[in-house]
């Protein structure tokens, strides 16, 4: 029996341990650094509920928030069954201005061919998460992905408009999970 906070932490741990280590995505350059000829590849960072604001401390490390995965969950609690259904949403942020010369076998390739590679990377991350859930629906021993419910993924939208800030891309992944929860103390007295 767990809380929603523990569920979000378990989701983050699952991503950090089972999904992210196998990914190598292009890291966005630090603010003011426009050299994208050979971008560093890193696993995405995982953040519970929000992306941290680009504080001075973050900027001094020259780290970007891309690539990253922000994890959020909202719960519907069934008081009579001691169960909660979670609506899990993940915002997958990627950075990719296009295909770099070192990523192709064509010696005549331009240094950077502008394309929508960031969308493709976002979908690959979402598919890797789905693959992990299909392999093992248990998450941290406290919640379980509902494999019978549809999983939704696609570009992030707000009010019907795609959130697109080339070369930054946001992909949305949403699924349902269940977990046991403690009934309120007053209800326990009547059971």
């Amino acid at each position: 029996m767990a809380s929603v906070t523990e569920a979000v932490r378990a989701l983050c741990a699952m991503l950090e341990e089972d999904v992210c280590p196998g990914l190598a995505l292009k890291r966005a350059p630090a603010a003011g650094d426009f050299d994208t000829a050979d971008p560093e590849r890193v696993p995405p960072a995982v953040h519970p509920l929000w992306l941290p604001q680009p504080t001075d401390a973050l900027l001094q490390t020259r780290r970007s928030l891309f690539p990253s995965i922000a994890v959020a969950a909202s719960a519907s609690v069934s008081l009579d069954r001691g169960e909660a259904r979670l609506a899990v949403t993940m915002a997958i942020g990627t950075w990719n201005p296009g295909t770099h010369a070192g990523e192709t076998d064509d010696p005549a390739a331009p240094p950077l061919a502008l394309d929508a590679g960031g969308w493709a990377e976002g979908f690959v991350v979402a598919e890797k998460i789905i693959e992990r859930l299909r392999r093992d629906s248990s998450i941290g021993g406290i919640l379980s992905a509902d494999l019978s419910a549809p999983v939704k993924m696609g570009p992030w939208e707000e009010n019907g408009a795609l959130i697109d800030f080339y070369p930054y891309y946001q992909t949305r992944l949403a699924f349902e999970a269940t977990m046991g929860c403690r009934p309120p103390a007053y209800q326990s007295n009547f059971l």
Side-chain angles (χ1 to χ4, degrees):
M1 296 189 199
S3 68
V4 176
T5 303
E6 291 167 322
V8 170
R9 288 184 181 137
L11 287 159
C12 290
M14 178 214 47
L15 292 171
E16 290 170 337
E17 295 166 12
D18 299 341
V19 177
C20 294
L23 298 170
L25 305 175
K26 294 177 183 177
R27 176 184 288 175
D33 183 1
F34 299 105
D35 179 18
T36 62
D38 187 21
E40 180 183 6
R41 291 187 173 269
V42 296
V46 178
H47 305 285
L49 299 180
W50 72 89
L51 290 176
Q53 293 301 309
T55 61
D56 289 339
L58 183 65
L59 294 175
Q60 286 174 1
T61 64
R62 302 184 56 78
R63 294 271 329 252
S64 169
L65 296 177
F66 292 84
S68 62
I69 305 170
V71 180
S74 59
S76 299
V77 179
S78 174
L79 295 176
D80 63 342
R81 290 182 290 172
E83 177 182 275
R85 290 197 64 74
L86 275 72
V88 177
T89 303
M90 297 182 180
I92 302 163
T94 57
W95 173 85
N96 191 338
T99 304
H100 292 78
E103 300 170 337
T104 178
D105 293 331
D106 182 3
L112 177 64
L114 302 179
D115 60 31
W119 286 119
E121 287 183 352
F123 278 98
V124 166
V125 173
E127 289 164 354
K128 292 290 185 187
I129 295 168
I130 292 169
E131 182 181 297
R132 160 49 178 87
L133 295 173
R134 283 185 179 141
R135 195 172 56 247
D136 182 5
S137 63
S138 176
I139 302 165
I142 61 172
L143 68 153
S144 179
D146 183 351
L147 300 180
S148 66
V151 174
K152 298 176 185 175
M153 79 172 167
W156 194 273
E157 292 183 39
E158 288 186 14
N159 298 323
L162 295 182
I163 304 303
D164 180 4
F165 299 105
Y166 171 87
Y168 299 92
Y169 299 95
Q170 292 286 339
T171 305
R172 177 188 179 122
L173 175 67
F175 62 92
E176 294 182 18
T178 58
M179 71 174 184
C181 59
R182 294 177 192 90
Y186 70 89
Q187 187 179 14
S188 296
N189 295 333
F190 298 105
L191 297 178

